[in-house]
Amino acid sequence: MTKNFAHRGFSGKYPENTMLAFEKAIEAGADGIELDVQLTKDGEVIIIHDETIDRTTDGKGLAADYTYEELCRFDASFIYRGQMGFNKIPTLREYLELVKDKNIVTNIELKTGILEYIGIEEKVWELIQEYKLEKKVIISSFNHYSILRMKKIAPDLKYGLLSETWFVDAGKYTHELGIQCYHPVHYNLVPEVIEEIKKYGIEINTYTVNKEKDMRYLIEKGIDIIIGNFPDLAGKIIKEYK
Ligand code: G3P
Ligand code: CA
């Protein structure tokens, strides 16, 4: 049965990629949580979607130009103008502490598409080992070189190749790279694309699925994971099919 992953936590109702959004996703019954990681100036693995802190916080500039301590003074729920209290940018470590004993799978997206963050793969791998979460993570990235780098150091983890375009023969490509999952944008998943990917036994995990009509189509097509901003709605729809 299709699994329900909360995109950047329960980001439809709470500030994305904050501990609050992750806690609320768990409360909403999500099977898993998707989040984005980048590196600070002092090498801390932090959870934030954009390379800059401008959109989601009350600060400005590249996250990579700040130490983690400096970043902690910015409010990652700034978009909500105080209605959610103060929420700092979390570290991956803080997040793993939250989920370590919970029945939650985490899709860690390496945001290495614009800034390469050389060494981030090793840092993420060290944290996964420290928290013994090897069987409860999926590592994805739009930067497939980054995925191959991490696969070299941690060959037994589950990996997914992110795509936001109409990739030809995605199943074949994913299979030939020895990767288990393909993570396309959901509107690429027309029947022939799904069929080609499934032919290779590749798991299909798709984003960002927020509409009930899309959820139903993807569940009926046997898509493995739908990643969306409303894990409450997705959970309710999936239950109907059980
Ligand atoms: O991992 C799925 C999705 O989060 C990828 O796009 O831009 O929301 O990180 P984006
Ligand atoms: Ca993401």
Side-chain angles (χ1 to χ4, degrees):
M1 180 48 76
T2 303
K3 300 278 187 214
N4 162 30
F5 275 39
H7 180 241
R8 311 180 193 173
F10 194 160
S11 62
K13 288 195 185 156
Y14 301 95
E16 67 177 58
N17 282 329
T18 61
M19 292 305 291
L20 177 63
F22 301 139
E23 283 156 11
K24 292 294 180 185
I26 296 167
E27 273 173 44
D31 299 305
I33 291 173
E34 187 268 356
L35 53 83
D36 306 287
V37 296
Q38 317 221 17
L39 282 188
T40 64
K41 190 176 170 182
D42 54 339
E44 188 70 46
V45 184
I46 55 163
I47 306 177
I48 188 166
H49 179 272
D50 301 359
E51 286 68 26
T52 73
I53 60 173
D54 301 32
R55 180 180 60 86
T56 52
T57 82
D58 48 349
K60 282 212 176 320
L62 289 174
D65 284 342
Y66 291 93
T67 63
Y68 184 60
E69 198 186 334
E70 286 166 345
L71 282 176
C72 282
R73 62 173 195 267
F74 301 120
D75 182 8
S77 52
F78 175 65
I79 290 170
Y80 287 85
R81 298 293 191 274
Q83 287 169 44
M84 297 281 171
F86 179 88
N87 293 273
K88 67 180 180 65
I89 298 170
T91 61
L92 182 60
R93 174 182 292 284
E94 268 177 281
Y95 169 84
L96 296 178
E97 193 64 48
L98 171 75
V99 297
K100 67 178 181 204
D101 300 317
K102 295 190 168 63
N103 193 19
I104 286 282
V105 174
T106 304
N107 176 194
I108 301 173
E109 182 189 341
L110 305 172
K111 275 284 176 217
T112 47
I114 296 176
L115 299 177
E116 222 183 342
Y117 296 120
I118 293 297
I120 195 171
E121 297 89 0
E122 283 85 354
K123 284 176 186 279
V124 169
W125 173 224
E126 277 166 22
L127 284 163
I128 291 167
Q129 290 176 96
E130 186 181 329
Y131 284 89
K132 301 186 178 17
L133 289 169
E134 292 89 339
K135 299 275 178 256
K136 286 160 78 177
V137 292
I138 305 171
I139 310 297
S140 64
S141 185
F142 286 104
N143 181 343
H144 300 177
Y145 287 102
S146 186
I147 291 296
L148 295 181
R149 272 199 295 274
M150 185 141 175
K151 190 171 155 56
K152 219 174 219 173
I153 56 171
D156 298 331
L157 292 184
K158 190 181 249 196
Y159 294 97
L161 301 179
L162 272 160
S163 157
E164 56 184 350
T165 191
W166 291 83
F167 218 109
V168 174
D169 292 343
K172 184 167 181 271
Y173 172 73
T174 307
H175 172 75
E176 285 179 355
L177 287 179
I179 304 296
Q180 308 94 321
C181 316
Y182 185 62
H183 290 213
V185 65
H186 73 88
Y187 46 76
N188 287 170
L189 288 172
V190 294
E192 53 270 41
V193 169
I194 296 175
E195 202 183 308
E196 192 277 335
I197 300 166
K198 287 201 167 182
K199 197 169 77 189
Y200 288 90
I202 302 293
E203 202 175 285
I204 307 175
N205 306 326
T206 188
Y207 67 95
T208 306
V209 188
N210 292 333
K211 291 193 182 121
E212 183 173 333
K213 179 172 74 64
D214 297 327
M215 290 172 187
R216 289 190 188 281
Y217 167 75
L218 295 163
I219 294 164
E220 284 163 20
K221 285 288 176 196
I223 297 308
D224 297 276
I225 298 172
I226 54 173
I227 306 168
N229 299 348
F230 298 96
D232 52 348
L233 176 63
K236 187 176 138 257
I237 307 293
I238 290 170
K239 219 177 236 170
E240 282 180 28
Y241 288 82
K242 281 185 177 166

